[in-house]
Amino acid sequence: MATPEFITTLRASAGHQLLYLPGVSSIVFDDAGRVLLNRRADTGAWAIIGGIPEPGEQPAECAVREVWEETAVHCTPERVVLVEGLRTPVTYPNGDVCQFMDVTFACRAESSEARVNDDESLEVGWFELDALPPLAGFGLFRIKQATEGGPTWFDGMPEWESGR
């Protein structure tokens, strides 16, 4: 399901105006270190797996659900890679405008046989990190952060003055 029912209901009264929504992204690695991607039905572009949590759904639960719904791969979230309020709104072809607060998880695949599992993907597949298809900066940055293994990345953190 591309647009959650609660958003469709909200849009009936809000129209196309800006909605600030939660988003979850998953960087899924298999045992060989390959990353799972899908080619999105709405744009035709390759992307990392992501979606919008349902009301009351925890972000990690959403990550697992979205990966399964789109690729039929079971995964386990292992850590939060980044938390970022995206600065630029997205305008969809129907005129809806959204801006997202994204939580990205690094996940380990529990199964590796990927297939298109819903109408949101045209293709799905595992890719070596040095042989990725063309990806937007959003996905590339998240894959980079997930492979570096550092602490969770937060945008806009103030630089603390010495002595504080």
Side-chain angles (χ1 to χ4, degrees), residues 31-61:
D31 290 339
R34 300 176 301 172
V35 66
L36 180 63
L37 301 174
N38 72 334
R39 194 161 67 84
R40 296 173 55 107
D42 59 350
T43 65
W46 284 99
I48 59 175
I49 311 301
I52 299 170
E54 296 288 338
E57 183 178 37
Q58 296 299 314
E61 291 174 312

Side-chain angles (χ1 to χ4, degrees), residues 62-143:
C62 177
V64 170
R65 177 181 55 79
E66 287 290 341
V67 170
W68 169 254
E69 285 179 358
E70 296 180 22
T71 70
V73 169
H74 291 286
C75 71
T76 300
E78 295 188 319
R79 70 181 181 92
V80 175
V81 172
L82 65 78
V83 177
E84 180 183 23
L86 303 183
R87 297 183 188 278
T88 306
V90 176
T91 301
Y92 291 94
N94 68 355
D96 288 351
V97 182
C98 297
Q99 197 162 354
F100 293 95
M101 169 66 69
D102 180 63
V103 178
T104 299
F105 291 90
C107 301
R108 178 179 29 84
E110 301 295 335
S111 61
S112 61
E113 190 171 327
R115 64 177 165 79
V116 172
N117 204 35
D118 66 9
D119 60 357
E120 292 185 53
S121 301
L122 300 173
E123 295 178 71
V124 299
W126 294 101
F127 293 87
E128 300 288 341
L129 294 174
D130 62 356
L132 296 173
L135 286 174
F138 178 91
L140 288 172
F141 181 69
R142 282 154 176 74
I143 291 169

